[in-house]
Amino acid sequence: MRWRAKLLLLGSAAALAAALPALSQVTEPVLPPGFGDPEPAEQAPPEEAPVTEPAPVAGEEPPPPPRPGTRSTGGESLIQETSPDDLAAIEALTPPPPPIEIPDEARRPIDFVGVLDESAGGLGADAFGAADGRFLSTLMRRLDAPIASRWQSMLLRRALLTRVPAPVGVHPVDWVAERAWLLLRMGEADAARMLVQSIDVDQFTPKMFAIAVQSALATADPAGLCPLVGPGRETSDEPVWPLAEAMCASLSGEPGKASSLIDQARRRSRADPIDLDLAEKVIGAGANTRRAVTIEWDDVDQINSWRFGLAAATGLEIPAGLMSRAGSHVLAWQARAPMLPLEQRLSAIQAAASLGVFGSASLVDIYSQIADETDPSEINESVGGRLRTAYAARKVDQRMRALRSLWGEPGNDPVARHARLILTATAATALPAIPELAPDAPRLIASMLSAGYDAQAAEWSEVVGNMEGEDAGRAWAMLALASPRPAVEISAGRIGTFQDSDDTPEDHATKLLIAALAGLGRIDADTATDLAEDHGIRLGAENRWTRLLARAAERGQNGTVALLAGAGMQTGAWRGVPPEHLYHITRALSRVGMEYEARMIAAEAIARL
């Protein structure tokens, strides 16, 4: 299990310590090495703090803009020998007015920011209710993303993008920066960039400057640094600004200035050669610079956001070994990098889909683009060709053979297998629910539910009800959890039958099934209590996290519930999610009107174990 020793939900005297299970190994930094979020000093855990009470956080600082060449381990601060008063003074700084003032009528609000209204999938303006902003900000900053559940991650993205007022206790711009920072760590580079761009640059705080730099690099857009250079240099003396100024001079058609600035940087900077070379590579892409550089990765031992962003912007392929050490969220950044060929991004695209960054329709579109460029003589055996057969073949058995081929190709790679289920979701809905396809029912149902087709999956309830064996158990469990209304028999006997075919360690799938059925209210309280006792599940156990989750649900704060639910899934795979957490998460989500999301999360647990 990858649980941290503890998850601090609040800092300072009014803080609270989360009682989540501990990770048995050190977690990777929230951004690639060298550009990590400094870890605030840990505070002694007090008894408890309610969601709406002030919770000041002492000694915090925003993650700094990237220092090319700085080697930093996970939580090590890049600001040394500073006192809390020094840090408070830094955070109090505001950038000077821009050369051209924005008319008052054209200014965008900073206290009510987001890109999703309720009509577009947002959670509503009262998503976080009266929760204290320091509590929410600290919780977001400490959340170890990516998380286990794809559906939970998608819900968290909606919560972070929802147009909401700034809560009390935090600077409104810093509140937006914290949301964007978490999105970046989830792999949601474009979503983070949208939030950053919702704030006018002349309103940026030091924290927002840092996150804006990270979002520009994550989206492989060095030109996105250019509006930040002037006001950013007035705010800090980070080494990123001289290099950014040199790149921006080249991109704006000033090759002489760009050459002079990069030469100065080479003489004065302490950056690693690879970081200067990558900046010069961007400069060489400008007009009439007459500068060329060859990038050598042999002596590079880590990828950070600077190296990723500039390499991707210039179409350079980063060696797979380096990318594998960068984290799955960086793979998600790579998946949408426009300068890299699609074929080069396929592995990253699968990772992004499994994380929830890409949906089924996006995957279909990507493989259709590749198919358009494939030789006609090879199209039938390509992924796009087989996908076309799965959609359009006239005979059911032809479509089913194409789906089996697509599902079987990834072998034992769990991420690739999950991505193929997502890819084929819509094609799976077009197949009739007939007994002849019963052996394929588990994967058909898992595929449909990966894209949220719960009603279509429920059409298989009669076929599944007549099935026997291991496949029957998994298909039954997914329908028991995901159907809009119970469509299959749910009883202690059926759960026992499922357990007989459960090959997960310590019957973990069975325990998650029981917990989710109880959380969704699909088994009565007595049955839930008996089954939980039989399987060692402590449904009634409480800690600070469960009390906070229940209190947020009671107050109808669906955004706070989504954030706390994400905190309960801080592990790399479903095998690390305790059944008690799934019980409390599904119960809280159902209470705030998000039963659909709760059902999809629960069914995902069975599909991916």
Side-chain angles (χ1 to χ4, degrees):
M1 291 175 65
R2 198 171 63 89
W3 293 95
R4 285 179 172 176
K6 58 184 175 178
L7 169 69
L8 296 180
L9 298 184
L10 295 175
S12 78
L16 64 89
L20 304 184
L23 284 166
S24 62
Q25 60 185 21
V26 178
T27 56
E28 64 182 355
V30 291
L31 277 184
F35 297 89
D37 188 5
E39 197 67 34
E42 295 193 358
Q43 309 293 327
E47 285 303 313
E48 186 173 352
V51 175
T52 55
E53 291 183 3
V57 180
E60 291 180 1
E61 68 263 12
R67 293 174 176 266
T70 300
R71 300 184 184 276
S72 171
T73 58
E76 183 182 356
S77 175
L78 298 181
I79 302 178
Q80 302 296 330
E81 300 178 356
T82 54
S83 69
D85 290 339
D86 294 330
L87 297 177
I90 291 173
E91 290 206 63
L93 292 174
T94 55
I100 301 177
E101 290 288 349
I102 301 174
D104 290 340
E105 62 273 13
R107 286 189 177 278
R108 292 174 293 178
I110 63 172
D111 57 350
F112 203 85
V113 175
V115 297
L116 292 181
D117 293 320
E118 258 187 297
S119 60
L123 303 190
D126 59 347
F128 297 97
D132 187 87
R134 288 162 291 189
F135 163 76
L136 295 171
S137 295
T138 303
L139 179 57
M140 286 190 286
R141 193 177 313 123
R142 305 286 173 85
L143 201 152
D144 185 18
I147 57 179
S149 169
R150 176 176 184 268
W151 274 98
Q152 176 60 49
S153 187
M154 292 190 292
L155 173 59
L156 188 53
R157 176 182 63 205
R158 287 168 53 204
L160 296 172
L161 287 176
T162 295
R163 192 165 181 262
V164 292
V168 297
V170 293
H171 191 289
V173 176
D174 285 349
W175 162 246
V176 179
E178 291 289 2
R179 291 154 63 189
W181 178 234
L182 177 52
L183 285 165
L184 283 172
R185 303 191 323 262
M186 292 165 58
E188 300 279 1
D190 291 314
R193 186 75 176 273
M194 285 191 287
L195 277 184
V196 169
Q197 292 180 338
S198 298
I199 303 293
D200 295 324
V201 175
D202 70 325
Q203 300 286 344
F204 276 18
T205 61
K207 182 176 292 185
M208 181 57 91
F209 273 111
I211 303 307
V213 169
Q214 297 286 358
S215 69
L217 295 172
T219 52
D221 180 21
L225 299 173
C226 299
L228 310 177
V229 172
R233 296 190 77 161
E234 295 292 333
T235 305
S236 72
D237 60 353
E238 294 290 342
V240 66
W241 302 127
L243 294 178
E245 185 180 14
M247 293 187 294
C248 293
S250 173
L251 295 174
S252 62
E254 299 179 88
K257 180 180 178 181
S259 296
S260 175
L261 289 171
I262 193 63
D263 290 340
Q264 289 179 27
R266 284 198 179 276
R267 291 193 300 270
R268 301 174 182 175
S269 176
R270 300 186 303 274
D272 282 354
I274 184 65
D275 299 306
L276 292 166
D277 289 345
L278 285 167
E280 190 160 358
K281 187 76 172 177
V282 174
I283 291 170
N288 301 318
T289 57
R290 299 181 180 178
R291 300 181 76 101
V293 62
T294 300
I295 303 300
E296 300 287 349
W297 299 102
D298 294 345
D299 297 327
V300 179
D301 59 2
Q302 61 181 355
I303 287 297
N304 52 37
S305 55
W306 178 268
R307 294 168 188 175
F308 165 79
L310 302 193
T314 52
L316 292 176
E317 182 176 8
I318 299 172
L322 285 174
M323 284 300 298
S324 67
R325 297 198 293 271
S328 56
H329 60 295
V330 184
L331 286 176
W333 299 352
Q334 185 186 51
R336 46 81 51 220
M339 295 299 291
L340 299 176
L342 274 176
E343 292 83 354
Q344 194 180 116
R345 290 186 272 143
L346 284 180
S347 178
I349 286 168
Q350 294 179 88
S354 188
L355 289 176
V357 177
F358 284 176
S360 180
S362 297
L363 285 185
V364 171
D365 182 60
I366 287 167
Y367 281 103
S368 297
Q369 291 180 50
I370 295 174
D372 288 342
E373 300 172 2
T374 301
D375 189 289
S377 64
E378 300 174 355
I379 188 68
N380 289 337
E381 297 304 315
S382 69
V383 172
R386 284 175 287 165
L387 187 62
R388 181 179 62 186
T389 300
Y391 271 98
R394 300 178 67 179
K395 295 183 178 180
V396 170
D397 61 337
Q398 291 176 320
R399 284 185 275 158
M400 194 65 247
R401 279 199 301 271
L403 288 176
R404 291 188 196 116
S405 173
L406 290 168
W407 294 335
E409 191 172 58
N412 295 322
D413 183 343
V415 171
R417 289 204 313 267
H418 187 214
R420 286 297 173 87
L421 291 175
I422 299 166
L423 172 67
T424 57
T426 305
T429 64
L431 288 170
I434 55 178
E436 290 78 5
L437 299 182
D440 299 293
R443 287 192 292 188
L444 286 168
I445 292 170
S447 181
M448 287 184 270
L449 294 178
S450 72
Y453 293 120
D454 56 340
Q456 291 85 342
E459 294 175 4
W460 286 80
S461 57
E462 184 176 349
V463 173
V464 170
N466 295 321
M467 291 171 59
E468 296 180 355
E470 180 180 353
D471 289 342
R474 193 164 293 273
W476 167 83
M478 286 186 285
L479 291 182
L481 294 167
S483 299
R485 291 170 296 279
V488 293
E489 176 196 355
I490 301 175
S491 64
R494 287 306 303 258
I495 294 171
T497 302
F498 175 80
Q499 183 177 5
D500 292 340
S501 61
D502 185 1
D503 59 357
T504 58
E506 300 180 353
D507 294 332
H508 191 58
T510 301
K511 293 177 182 179
L512 289 177
L513 171 65
I514 294 168
L517 288 172
L520 291 168
R522 296 205 162 180
I523 52 178
D524 59 60
D526 291 338
T527 301
T529 299
D530 292 342
L531 289 170
E533 290 179 354
D534 291 343
H535 291 82
I537 307 169
R538 300 185 304 151
L539 296 181
E542 291 187 353
N543 54 42
R544 291 184 177 90
W545 173 74
T546 64
R547 287 192 289 270
L548 283 167
L549 187 60
R551 190 177 302 139
E554 180 183 349
R555 296 173 179 177
Q557 297 175 7
N558 53 7
T560 309
V561 167
L563 190 54
L564 286 164
M569 289 193 175
Q570 296 177 99
T571 179
W574 272 102
R575 63 180 177 272
V577 177
E580 294 85 357
H581 285 206
L582 187 58
Y583 165 72
H584 288 288
I585 288 169
T586 52
R587 190 164 181 260
L589 289 174
S590 298
R591 289 181 67 187
V592 294
M594 294 192 289
E595 189 207 33
Y596 172 81
E597 289 82 357
R599 289 188 283 111
M600 295 302 103
I601 290 168
E604 180 190 347
I606 302 301
R608 297 184 67 178
L609 279 171

